[in-house]
Amino acid sequence: MVTSLLVVIVVLALLFDYTNGFHDAANSIATIVSTKVLTPFQAVLMAAVFNFAAYFFIKDHKVANTVSKIVLEHYVTLHVILAGLVAAITWNLFTWWFGIPSSSSHTLIGGFAGAGMTNALYMGANALHAVEMQYVLKIVAYIVLAPFIGLIIAYVVTILILHLCKAARPATAERWFKRMQLVSSAALSFAHGGNDAQKVMGILYVSLIASKVIKPGSVMPEWIPLACYSAIAAGTMSGGWKIVKTMGSKITKVTPLEGVSAETAGAITLFITERFGIPVSTTHTITGSIIGVGLTKRVSAVRWGVTINLVWAWIITIPISALIAAGVFALLHFFA
């Protein structure tokens, strides 16, 4: 049954997808902007186009399926979903305002899980019984694994490129890497759209089940992926310049060659995890890739003080989002 609350949830979910777009746009365009291959406007335009292009090619929605199963169906209500979305949007806007490249994916998952666990407590159950631990543990593990995989791939790709191009004239090589960065940045934007839009698709899908619009196991209505890819592309067009500065220059100085390596590594990591239905963070992935590039020069080329601050933001995102969602759910439950 379509209710006013369901309509509010759909609007908020797409609003979150929009904030995800402008929050994470920085991740996919930071290196191409910092190397001055494209202007900021050209970069966000290209990123938005390739964010949306994923709609036409990615049809299995494995990441959406994982997200929809994080909270067990018995504990999922529209109030749980609403509380999770409010928490996710709040944390996204807070970190965007202060230029912190936190994970939009993890704030959504943390908010959803936190609200579900709070609902379980109100129902007299163990909070941990409300979440599907195999999915939660996999997501938590990839907080570490995704940036590490990106780091290793970026390091190997950079070393390989340096070896292959050691005889090339610097000016010629620079010109070619600037062209290649257009391709690598487009691939990263495509992978970002394909991975991140699916998280909200999973939330909308479970919202329709909770409101009995569709039955569990039903095929996802086509308007959901279309709306989600549109929202994230629109958000990407809005950019996120504070985070661009952190990602593109504060972690380590990035050249066009290194931009190609970092973006290629990030795209490969996202393609692999999307294939296996793992909702990883684009932010974590590209950060690890940029660090991997910096390590090919020397360990001190990476600004570890900035990196440690980013890691702390990653660690606290899920628990803080869960706590915010718990508070919002408690308020909703009190006034219901």
Side-chain angles (χ1 to χ4, degrees):
M1 184 173 115
V2 178
T3 64
S4 56
L5 183 55
L6 177 59
V7 173
V8 169
I9 286 171
V10 170
V11 171
L12 283 179
L14 295 177
L15 176 61
F16 171 81
D17 224 4
Y18 178 84
T19 67
N20 187 352
F22 73 69
H23 190 279
D24 285 9
N27 304 325
S28 53
I29 70 169
T31 55
I32 202 167
V33 171
S34 65
T35 55
K36 297 181 171 58
V37 172
L38 293 178
T39 66
F41 177 75
Q42 290 170 331
V44 293
L45 182 61
M46 185 184 77
V49 168
F50 282 95
N51 272 177
F52 186 75
Y55 165 74
F56 299 103
F57 295 95
I58 298 176
K59 297 296 183 181
D60 53 7
H61 304 153
K62 289 180 181 178
V63 172
N65 184 54
T66 298
V67 172
S68 69
K69 293 178 178 177
I70 287 171
V71 178
L72 296 178
E73 187 182 331
H74 178 66
Y75 300 103
V76 177
T77 66
L78 292 182
H79 282 150
V80 165
I81 298 166
L82 178 61
L85 285 169
V86 170
I89 292 170
T90 301
W91 184 245
N92 244 12
L93 292 175
F94 176 83
T95 53
W96 166 76
W97 180 258
F98 288 99
I100 303 168
S102 67
S103 169
S104 296
S105 305
H106 290 153
T107 189
L108 180 63
I109 290 164
F112 187 32
M117 292 167 73
T118 307
N119 188 32
L121 291 175
Y122 275 103
M123 294 172 69
N126 186 323
L128 293 178
H129 292 168
V131 294
E132 189 63 70
M133 290 308 295
Q134 64 168 319
Y135 294 126
V136 173
L137 292 175
K138 186 186 293 185
I139 291 164
V140 170
Y142 272 84
I143 291 177
V144 176
L145 289 175
F148 184 72
I149 293 169
L151 184 155
I152 295 298
I153 295 174
Y155 186 89
V156 171
V157 169
T158 306
I159 294 297
L160 185 62
I161 290 175
L162 287 171
H163 179 73
L164 292 173
C165 299
K166 60 185 177 182
R169 293 176 58 190
T172 303
E174 178 96 351
R175 187 164 60 251
W176 275 102
F177 284 122
K178 284 187 175 183
R179 293 172 183 171
M180 289 171 64
Q181 205 177 354
L182 294 172
V183 177
S184 60
S185 183
L188 181 61
S189 296
F190 181 92
H192 168 236
N195 196 289
D196 278 34
Q198 288 196 53
K199 285 124 185 180
V200 174
M201 286 160 56
I203 294 295
L204 287 176
Y205 179 71
V206 81
S207 299
L208 297 184
I209 293 173
S211 57
K212 296 181 170 54
V213 173
I214 60 174
K215 295 180 180 179
S218 299
V219 175
M220 182 182 293
E222 189 58 31
W223 67 265
I224 291 180
L226 179 60
C228 289
Y229 281 113
S230 299
I232 200 168
T236 298
M237 281 291 293
S238 303
W241 310 121
K242 292 180 180 180
I243 300 173
V244 167
K245 186 177 180 183
T246 299
M247 301 297 289
S249 60
K250 284 190 177 179
I251 294 174
T252 188
K253 184 175 173 59
V254 179
T255 65
L257 181 158
E258 293 156 351
V260 169
S261 299
E263 290 161 352
T264 300
I268 290 172
T269 305
L270 291 175
F271 283 134
I272 292 171
T273 53
E274 191 279 329
R275 180 64 181 165
F276 289 99
I278 304 167
V280 301
S281 166
T282 304
T283 307
H284 296 186
T285 302
I286 193 61
T287 301
S289 300
I290 294 172
I291 291 171
V293 163
L295 289 175
T296 62
K297 292 180 277 192
R298 58 188 183 281
V299 173
S300 61
V302 177
R303 297 185 176 96
W304 294 105
V306 174
T307 304
I308 290 169
N309 289 338
L310 297 183
V311 171
W312 276 114
W314 300 352
I315 291 170
I316 65 175
T317 289
I318 289 180
I320 284 186
S321 301
L323 287 172
I324 296 172
V328 174
F329 182 82
L331 286 173
L332 292 172
H333 188 271
F334 180 78
F335 288 109

